[in-house]
Amino acid sequence: MTDLSVEVCGLKLRNPTMLASGVLDETGKSMVEVAKSGAGAIVTKSVGSTPREGHGTPSVVELENGLLNAMGLPNPGIDLYSEEIEIALTAGVPVIGSVFGGTEDEIASLAAKMEGTGVHAVELNLSCPHARGYGAEIGSTPELVESICRKAKSRTSIPIFAKLTPNTPSIGDLALAAERGGADAVVAINTLKGMAISPEARMPILANKVGGLSGPAIKPVGVRCVFEIHEAVDIPVIGVGGIASGRDAVEYIMAGASAVQIGTAVWMHGPGIFSKVSGEVLKFMKENSYSKVKDMVGVAHADGR
Ligand code: DHB
């Protein structure tokens, strides 16, 4: 028997795919739809303490091989959004609540509030590439990553995932800091900082000028980051960045990911991508005599870790 199910930090997933934060997660209804389409788990929209409008438009640029976006973390705030989470929780798959904040105290109290909504784990967005004072600005210093994780852990009793930025010289050091701070897993990678310019307008296309690059273009960066993190820490890694096929997912798993997240491919191809990716992973496992996903984790490392 070939078994697609995985267990990550005690969360039981029927297959190794999760919806990445930021796509089709505006409402409880859309998250339920994504679960119905085959996602093994759902990560919610990143929410903060208060409602936030986000950046002006254009906020997304479609590129040949990916997406560049600077939404600016628009969200209704955790109090209003908890109504959507309540609906998402009826989907019957694990729900991971994503939060962002400007200080470690704010992030820790958001994590505690998020736990109160009934989610199964919290993902700390330590890696938005451009919203000033949030995300990667605080998530690129190992000492801060460690203290944020420690404080969030002290206020919660469910697993804490730290979503890390690739915009750093050593993502292994960030992962190690998250592990030292008590994070139960790391998620890698968030988007890469990028820019697109309109030659006719002679100016950056995004209203925010700088945005986060996602999609197929960043897959090799994500695979390299997961590979490095797997060598640096013992906690599970969740791989994300440019996954649109079973082979993409298997690459991440062999680099060391225990599960994967899919975002841009959902935006590009719709929620049917989850059953497509899972089906292709299953086919690969059958053809290569793997009975469990776990048996593929990290096999690309020479020492088999
Ligand atoms: C945004 C947030 C992110 O974490 C990211 O990677 C890209 C964009 C945003 O809301 O703008």
Side-chain angles (χ1 to χ4, degrees), residues 69-74 125 127-130 190-191 212:
N69 90 88
M71 309 299 288
L73 297 164
N125 182 354
S127 39
C128 172
H130 49 76
N190 207 317
T191 53

Side-chain angles (χ1 to χ4, degrees), residues 100-156:
F100 72 91
T103 65
E104 53 184 62
D105 279 328
E106 189 185 13
I107 295 171
S109 59
L110 276 163
K113 257 194 173 178
M114 188 52 97
E115 177 170 8
T117 68
V119 294
H120 303 89
V122 174
E123 182 175 284
L124 308 178
N125 182 354
L126 303 178
S127 39
C128 172
H130 49 76
R132 217 160 296 131
Y134 296 94
E137 275 193 15
I138 51 175
S140 40
T141 315
E143 292 72 23
L144 268 175
V145 167
E146 181 176 344
S147 58
I148 291 166
C149 291
R150 183 165 292 120
K151 192 151 242 177
K153 277 303 286 180
S154 76
R155 300 276 309 270
T156 50

Side-chain angles (χ1 to χ4, degrees), residues 21-22 45-46 52 54-55 59 69-74 125-131 135 163 189-192 208 210-214:
S21 182
K45 187 171 200 54
S46 267
R52 197 181 141 93
H55 299 314
S59 55
N69 90 88
M71 309 299 288
L73 297 164
N125 182 354
L126 303 178
S127 39
C128 172
H130 49 76
K163 187 166 181 182
I189 54 176
N190 207 317
T191 53
L192 283 148
N208 187 60
V210 171
L213 179 65
S214 62

